[in-house]
């Protein structure tokens, strides 16, 4: 055996040295799939003589791509010419290299969700449509779903134009596409869609990529959607050397388009495929693995496999049934404190609290703060969401692509140039009438000179600065260009003039952003490349939440179960193990939905290396209501031999739990109904108390759902309500069954 491959187990070795033909590597959680993939690439280059340029390795996160590149280079040195990228970045790269063939100018920009909403809001005004009925989030969700199925605006209109409310959606979709094209812009969905269309419409170009990428590797294959599957199929059809790595038990993104059939039917899609299972786990103790397997084995739609470990059994899975959600949070904080005292080797970064929904985080933030325990909430790119950072990024995008209307409208009056909301809307309308970009309108002196003198001078200076920087960008470094933008646009001077605590903080953030640019420039130099503006903006645009997780920060991590995928922690807490929360009510009667919830539970449990704590609350306050809960069905599915702590489904009074904290129970016990024996009856009674049965509901009505939270009704048809929820997107619900009530606007 080759020396550097000796650390691989027999199955990993077989996977690393099987190069020809289709290969499915079923890699369970913690089975060393990243090591296997990197050693496979190293073997290709070092021993099989494969040119790095002939390899395309695709991942789902920038973090995973960077880790893979670093590991490969540690084994074989530089892999310059090899593509190790996310799906979006690989497609973006193809489009950048072939912009004309795709129908775009080379300096096109990629719109983030904020930019997309800005475009939709402008179109709603243009069409005089009610934003309550056509909420931007709902419109964009519809467009995104259509694009994922490769359904264009014209086809969408043909298929849906006759339905109530959908004629307007079809018009919005059509105008949205035209606005993007006019602005020389794409959205996230476009990146993969346009790349697939590019290859399907240009066989010569497809052949060139097929000949170049003779070996394809796809990570997390269970998370691929229809378009990603199409892309992979197109590139692999010439040589058939495709290796996909994944785990059907960890398919948890079907709600955003992932198609589990891609991995379940791989052998059908690629005849003659070899299947290798990686079942030895190097992460978790035996008790944790056995507990996770006892849950996931209840799923029917899965490939047979079972993780095992040579490690000791470890500590049993601990379950705690708290009196209420406050006590649940206090218990978690107390356990972290006790474990830190008991084991000096543990740090705060060894702990994670993984919840089903973001609304659960508040209690834990309060409990940890009260104990002085440091924590980080992984819920978004907080730094990059700051106003000043968004502003300067809009300036940088506009310098790269002056046709970017969305970016321009964000900063046209930042700093203040005397343009109020009415003036801005007039410019937008005039550009639409003239079929021009807004920057073209601003270049017309007759237009700008019609404004008051001071405003006109500001606009002339603005146009001059943007156009000048646009011409100079090729000859300036990104850092130099950034400094020039801050000075020439007057943005930095305006903040300095304010001389407030807030403005000082914003200046500090802008200066810190120079560190971001410097780090990116150094990374490119190390790779033998030069950082250019479009590359810098692309990398920030494609940054994901999980990429922002820094294990080096000594803090307890709080995040959703979805966000935790791919991460690991010594000690994991999964709170809210209650029917209605996990699994959610919406999945209880849905076979496919229930199976995905069970996979999510499996993913959460297998994040734990040494200790796993499951908790629930007998009484829980959500959305202003305190209600009695039923313990999660998943708790019943875990083998009793791997668990310790509170007995599942055994009666336990709130007072007995609170006694540990010397607190008086705030609730009377009242008559008790067994959650297991009468789950459906309990659910029915709860629903009866808070449904919209018999009530008039119209589009635009604000509602509160017990599980999905706040939302807006966008269509009411008989007993069926279509609701766009702030966190969960669009749902169709039965008015007389859904646990939901009206929210009257203040």
């Amino acid at each position: 055996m080759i020396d550097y491959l000796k650390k691989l187990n027999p199955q990993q070795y077989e996977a690393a040295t099987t190069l020809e033909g289709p290969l499915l590597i079923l890699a369970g959680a913690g089975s060393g799939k990243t090591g296997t993939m990197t050693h496979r690439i190293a073997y290709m280059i070092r021993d099989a003589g494969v040119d790095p340029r002939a390899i395309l390795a695709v991942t789902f996160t920038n973090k995973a791509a960077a880790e893979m590149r670093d590991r490969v280079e540690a084994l074989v040195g530089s892999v310059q010419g090899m593509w190790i990228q996310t799906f979006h970045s690989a497609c973006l790269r193809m489009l950048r290299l072939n912009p004309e063939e795709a129908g775009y100018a080379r300096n096109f920009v990629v719109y983030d969700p904020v930019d997309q909403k800005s475009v939709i809001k402008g179109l709603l005004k243009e069409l005089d449509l009610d934003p309550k009925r056509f909420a931007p989030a709902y419109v964009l969700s519809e467009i995104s779903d259509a694009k994922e199925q490769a359904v264009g605006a014209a086809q969408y209109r043909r298929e849906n134009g006759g339905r109530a409310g959908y004629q307007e959606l079809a018009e919005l979709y059509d105008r949205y596409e035209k606005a993007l094209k006019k602005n020389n812009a794409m959205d996230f969905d476009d990146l993969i869609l346009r790349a697939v269309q590019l290859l399907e419409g240009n066989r010569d170009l497809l052949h060139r990529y097929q000949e170049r990428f003779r070996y394809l590797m796809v990570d997390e294959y269970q998370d691929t959607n229809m378009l990603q599957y199409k892309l992979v199929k197109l590139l692999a059809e010439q040589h058939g050397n495709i290796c996909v790595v994944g785990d059907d038990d960890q398919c948890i993104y079907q709600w955003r388009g992932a198609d589990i059939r891609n991995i379940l039917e791989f052998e059908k899609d690629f005849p003659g495929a070899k299947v290798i299972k990686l079942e030895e786990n190097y992460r978790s103790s035996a008790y944790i693995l056995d507990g996770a397997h006892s849950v996931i084995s209840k799923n029917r739609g899965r490939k047979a496999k079972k993780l095992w470990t040579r490690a000791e059994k470890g500590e049993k899975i601990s379950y705690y049934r708290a009196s209420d959600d406050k006590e649940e949070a206090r218990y978690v904080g107390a356990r972290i404190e006790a474990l830190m005292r008991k084991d000096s080797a543990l740090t705060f970064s060894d702990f994670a609290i993984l919840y089903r929904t973001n609304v659960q985080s508040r209690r834990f933030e309060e409990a940890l703060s009260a104990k002085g325990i440091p924590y980080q909430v992984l819920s978004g790119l907080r730094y990059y969401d700051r106003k000043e950072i968004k502003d300067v990024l809009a300036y940088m995008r506009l310098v790269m692509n002056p046709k970017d209307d969305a970016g321009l409208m964000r900063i046209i009056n930042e700093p203040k140039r005397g343009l109020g909301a009415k003036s801005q809307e007039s410019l937008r309308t005039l550009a639409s009438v003239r079929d021009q970009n807004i920057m073209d309108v601003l270049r017309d002196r007759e237009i700008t000179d019609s404004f008051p003198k001071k405003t006109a001078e500001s606009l002339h200076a603005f146009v001059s600065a943007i156009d000048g920087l646009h011409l100079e960008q090729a000859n300036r470094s990104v850092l130099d260009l950034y400094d020039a933008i801050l000075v020439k646009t007057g943005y930095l001077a305006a903040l300095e003039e304010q001389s407030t605590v807030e403005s000082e903080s914003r200046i500090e953030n802008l200066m810190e952003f120079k560190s971001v640019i410097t780090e990116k420039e150094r990374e490119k130099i190390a790779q033998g490349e030069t950082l250019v503006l479009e590359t810098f903006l692309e990398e920030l645009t494609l940054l994901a939440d999980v990429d922002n997780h820094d294990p080096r920060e000594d803090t307890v991590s709080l995040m959703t179960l979805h966000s935790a995928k791919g991460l690991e922690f010594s000690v994991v807490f999964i709170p809210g193990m209650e029917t209605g929360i996990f699994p959610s009510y919406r999945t209880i009667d849905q076979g496919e939905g229930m199976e995905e919830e069970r996979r999510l539970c499996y993913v959460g449990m297998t994040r734990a290396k040494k200790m796993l704590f499951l908790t629930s609350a007998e009484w829980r306050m959500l959305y202003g209501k305190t209600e009695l809960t039923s313990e999660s069905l998943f708790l019943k599915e875990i083998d009793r031999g791997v668990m310790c702590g509170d007995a599942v489904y055994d009666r336990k009074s709130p007072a007995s739990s609170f006694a540990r904290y010397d607190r008086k129970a705030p609730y009377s016990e009242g008559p008790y109904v067994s959650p297991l024996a009468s789950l459906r009856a309990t659910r029915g009674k709860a629903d009866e108390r808070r449904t919209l049965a018999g009530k008039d509901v119209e589009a635009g009505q604000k509602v509160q759902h017990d599980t999905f939270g706040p939302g807006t009704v966008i269509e009411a048809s008989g007993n069926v309500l279509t609701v766009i929820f702030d966190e969960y997107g669009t749902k169709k619900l039965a008015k007389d069954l859904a646990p939901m009530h009206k929210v009257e606007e203040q």
Side-chain angles (χ1 to χ4, degrees):
M1 185 181 293
I2 301 168
D3 285 345
Y4 69 93
L5 298 179
K6 285 183 177 179
K7 62 176 66 177
L8 303 182
N9 66 36
Q11 292 74 31
Q12 291 173 331
Y13 180 84
E14 184 182 9
T17 55
T18 301
L19 305 185
E20 304 301 317
L23 172 64
L24 168 60
I25 303 174
L26 282 175
S31 62
K33 72 174 178 76
T34 304
T36 303
M37 291 178 72
T38 53
H39 280 80
R40 187 175 190 269
I41 296 171
Y43 179 77
M44 284 183 189
I45 298 170
R46 186 168 166 177
D47 297 281
V50 175
D51 186 340
R53 286 175 48 83
I55 304 170
L56 170 61
V58 186
T59 69
F60 270 84
T61 68
N62 295 294
K63 186 176 181 179
E67 183 182 359
M68 189 180 294
R69 178 177 290 278
D70 289 344
R71 288 201 189 187
V72 171
E73 290 185 339
L75 291 170
V76 299
S78 174
V79 288
Q80 195 168 354
M82 178 183 171
W83 283 25
I84 305 180
Q85 296 185 288
T86 65
F87 269 105
H88 286 96
S89 60
C91 289
L92 180 55
R93 192 168 180 178
M94 288 182 187
L95 293 166
R96 284 280 183 224
L97 292 169
N98 307 277
E100 289 81 11
E101 291 91 336
Y104 289 82
R106 190 178 182 281
N107 63 339
F108 65 82
V109 294
V110 182
Y111 279 180
D112 64 16
V114 175
D115 303 318
Q116 292 175 265
K117 280 187 179 180
S118 175
V119 174
I120 293 297
K121 286 177 180 177
L123 293 175
L124 290 172
K125 287 183 180 179
E126 191 177 300
L127 294 169
D128 195 26
L129 293 175
D130 185 0
K132 290 183 179 179
R133 186 183 178 197
F134 297 96
Y138 165 64
V139 175
L140 288 169
S141 174
E142 277 290 313
I143 293 173
S144 179
D145 289 346
K147 287 186 177 183
E148 280 191 1
Q149 298 301 316
V151 175
Q155 184 181 345
Y156 185 90
R157 189 187 296 274
R158 286 196 304 271
E159 294 178 354
N160 300 286
R163 299 165 61 192
Y166 282 83
Q167 188 173 356
E168 293 90 341
L169 282 171
E171 183 64 22
L172 282 166
Y173 187 3
D174 182 60
R175 296 202 182 202
Y176 174 77
E177 290 292 271
K178 289 176 179 175
L180 290 187
K181 201 67 185 291
K182 178 183 171 185
N183 295 355
N184 195 29
M186 297 186 195
D187 60 25
F188 271 45
D189 295 307
D190 282 330
L191 295 179
I192 300 177
L193 175 60
R194 304 304 176 204
V196 169
Q197 291 173 338
L198 175 68
L199 297 177
E200 286 180 332
N202 192 324
R203 300 301 296 184
D204 289 339
L205 185 63
L206 173 61
H207 182 70
R208 288 209 305 272
Y209 277 114
Q210 288 173 338
E211 285 301 309
R212 174 173 178 178
F213 299 125
R214 291 172 172 262
Y215 296 90
L216 270 71
M217 294 180 66
V218 184
D219 192 15
E220 305 287 4
Y221 191 64
Q222 77 280 348
D223 292 333
T224 53
N225 60 24
M226 185 269 284
L227 277 177
Q228 291 160 339
Y229 164 79
K230 269 192 171 184
L231 178 72
V232 169
K233 200 87 164 49
L234 280 168
L235 293 173
E237 67 182 9
Q238 181 73 22
H239 299 284
N241 299 325
I242 176 170
C243 168
V244 302
V245 187
D247 182 8
D248 52 298
D249 289 337
Q250 297 187 71
C251 180
I252 60 174
Y253 296 118
Q254 286 186 278
W255 53 276
R256 70 181 190 195
D259 193 339
I260 196 171
R261 294 175 300 177
N262 291 346
I263 192 167
L264 293 178
E265 299 177 5
F266 182 81
E267 297 103 306
K268 178 182 174 182
D269 293 329
F270 298 92
K274 186 174 186 176
V275 180
I276 299 173
K277 297 180 183 180
L278 305 185
E279 295 173 292
E280 183 175 357
N281 179 279
Y282 298 93
R283 175 188 298 159
S284 306
S285 64
Y287 277 136
I288 292 172
L289 292 179
D290 290 345
H293 180 74
S294 64
V295 174
I296 198 63
S297 63
K298 304 299 188 295
N299 273 2
R300 296 180 179 180
R302 65 184 295 268
K303 291 180 177 288
K305 55 191 169 302
K306 183 180 181 181
L307 293 178
W308 62 276
T309 180
R310 301 175 195 270
E312 298 179 355
K313 284 187 174 293
E315 295 196 28
K316 288 187 175 183
I317 299 170
S318 180
Y319 171 57
Y320 181 77
R321 177 76 161 159
S323 294
D324 67 0
D325 49 328
K326 286 185 179 179
E327 192 208 351
E328 180 188 42
R330 290 198 299 270
Y331 168 79
V332 171
R335 292 299 301 174
I336 294 173
E337 217 172 33
L339 289 168
M340 289 282 287
R341 284 197 300 266
K342 182 180 177 183
D343 187 350
S344 60
L346 285 172
T347 63
F348 289 119
S349 60
D350 288 318
F351 296 86
I353 304 170
L354 312 179
Y355 33 78
R356 181 62 182 83
T357 63
N358 277 310
V359 297
Q360 293 171 257
S361 74
R362 180 175 63 87
R363 289 293 192 208
F364 298 100
E365 291 187 61
E366 292 170 352
L368 296 181
S369 294
K371 289 184 172 295
I373 296 174
Y375 66 89
Q376 59 172 324
V377 181
L378 187 68
S379 60
L381 304 175
R382 287 172 290 181
Y383 177 76
Y384 295 105
D385 282 341
R386 290 169 179 162
K387 180 185 181 306
E388 60 274 15
I389 303 300
K390 283 281 191 185
D391 287 348
V392 78
L393 284 172
Y395 269 115
M396 296 175 85
R397 278 176 27 202
L398 191 62
V399 166
M400 186 182 83
N401 174 24
K403 292 183 178 181
D404 179 13
D405 283 357
L408 187 148
M409 292 307 293
R410 178 181 179 88
I411 45 81
I412 192 169
N413 205 42
E414 295 289 345
K416 303 300 180 188
R417 297 187 176 93
L419 278 176
K422 288 186 178 179
S423 297
Q424 292 178 40
E425 191 57 35
S426 297
L427 285 173
R428 193 195 295 269
T429 302
L430 184 58
S432 178
V433 170
R434 296 174 114 182
D435 195 25
Q436 292 180 315
N437 295 105
I438 298 172
M439 185 60 83
D440 294 327
V441 174
L442 292 176
R443 292 192 185 102
D444 187 337
R445 287 262 178 165
E446 287 187 19
I447 300 295
T448 52
D449 285 343
S450 66
F451 288 99
K453 184 178 179 182
K454 192 173 180 180
T455 300
E457 289 174 352
S458 295
L459 290 174
H460 295 160
F462 170 76
V463 171
S464 177
I466 299 299
D467 284 345
L469 290 168
H470 176 68
L471 293 172
E472 296 172 14
Q473 63 173 311
N475 301 317
R476 287 178 178 260
S477 69
V478 177
L479 188 61
D480 187 28
L481 197 63
Y482 175 74
D483 287 337
I485 287 172
L486 289 181
V487 174
K488 291 191 176 185
T489 62
Y491 193 91
L492 185 60
L495 287 175
E496 289 174 339
E497 285 175 14
Q498 292 176 26
S499 194
T500 63
V501 174
E502 184 182 2
S503 66
E504 288 295 327
S505 175
R506 289 184 173 181
I507 291 171
E508 288 175 3
N509 290 331
L510 289 171
M511 294 302 104
E512 177 59 26
F513 195 63
K514 296 179 71 168
S515 301
V516 176
I517 300 172
T518 302
E519 286 177 7
K520 294 290 183 184
E521 286 187 338
R522 288 173 179 171
E523 287 175 11
K524 290 297 178 184
I525 291 170
Q527 296 169 12
E529 301 174 10
T530 302
L531 182 69
V532 295
L533 183 58
E534 68 186 37
T535 305
F536 175 71
L537 293 173
E538 285 166 8
E539 289 183 0
L540 289 188
T541 303
L542 299 176
L543 199 62
D545 286 359
V546 70
D547 297 320
N548 205 38
H549 175 254
D550 188 357
R552 295 170 298 180
E553 287 190 29
D554 192 20
T555 57
V556 176
S557 295
L558 277 66
M559 67 188 79
T560 64
L561 286 154
H562 284 97
S563 298
K565 189 164 177 288
L567 304 177
E568 60 181 39
F569 304 88
S570 293
V571 186
V572 168
F573 295 86
I574 303 180
M577 296 295 291
E578 302 143 25
T579 299
I581 291 182
F582 196 29
S584 65
Y585 273 138
R586 65 187 171 88
T587 63
I588 292 174
D589 298 321
Q590 303 172 8
E592 190 174 308
M594 193 64 178
E595 294 219 340
E596 179 153 351
E597 285 286 285
R598 195 173 278 113
R599 291 194 293 270
L600 187 59
C601 184
Y602 174 80
V603 166
M605 294 175 75
T606 54
R607 298 311 94 195
K609 295 193 289 185
K610 296 179 179 179
M611 285 177 274
L612 174 62
F613 294 85
L614 309 177
T615 66
S616 68
E618 193 159 0
W619 295 87
R620 182 173 298 277
M621 177 178 281
L622 277 176
Y623 315 120
K625 288 187 175 183
T626 300
E627 296 184 351
L628 182 69
T629 74
S630 307
E631 290 168 301
S632 172
L633 300 178
F634 299 147
L635 292 170
K636 185 189 176 187
E637 294 176 346
I638 301 174
D639 291 342
R640 292 294 181 270
V642 305
M643 290 187 72
C644 66
D646 294 341
V648 183
Y649 297 109
D650 283 354
R651 179 64 176 142
K652 176 171 162 270
S653 72
S656 66
S657 295
F658 267 81
R660 300 172 214 190
Y661 290 90
D662 296 318
R663 294 177 181 270
K664 185 179 180 181
Y667 309 108
S668 61
E669 292 191 35
Y672 178 73
V673 181
S674 168
L676 179 60
S678 60
L679 171 61
R680 291 186 182 275
T682 302
R683 181 190 173 194
K685 289 177 182 177
D687 289 349
E688 189 179 347
R689 290 196 305 270
R690 55 178 183 263
T691 69
L692 295 171
K695 298 180 180 177
D696 293 331
V697 181
E698 298 178 347
Q701 174 65 57
K702 298 290 185 182
V703 294
Q704 183 78 33
H705 192 284
D706 285 11
T707 301
F708 304 145
T712 304
V713 177
I714 56 174
E715 185 179 357
S717 179
N719 191 43
V720 179
L721 301 178
T722 304
V723 185
I724 176 72
F725 291 100
D726 295 353
E727 285 196 37
Y728 287 88
T730 307
K731 307 290 180 187
K732 287 187 182 291
L733 304 168
K735 186 172 73 170
D736 59 355
L737 292 176
M740 177 168 70
H741 63 272
K742 288 184 178 182
V743 176
E744 302 302 332
E745 295 190 58
Q746 303 295 317

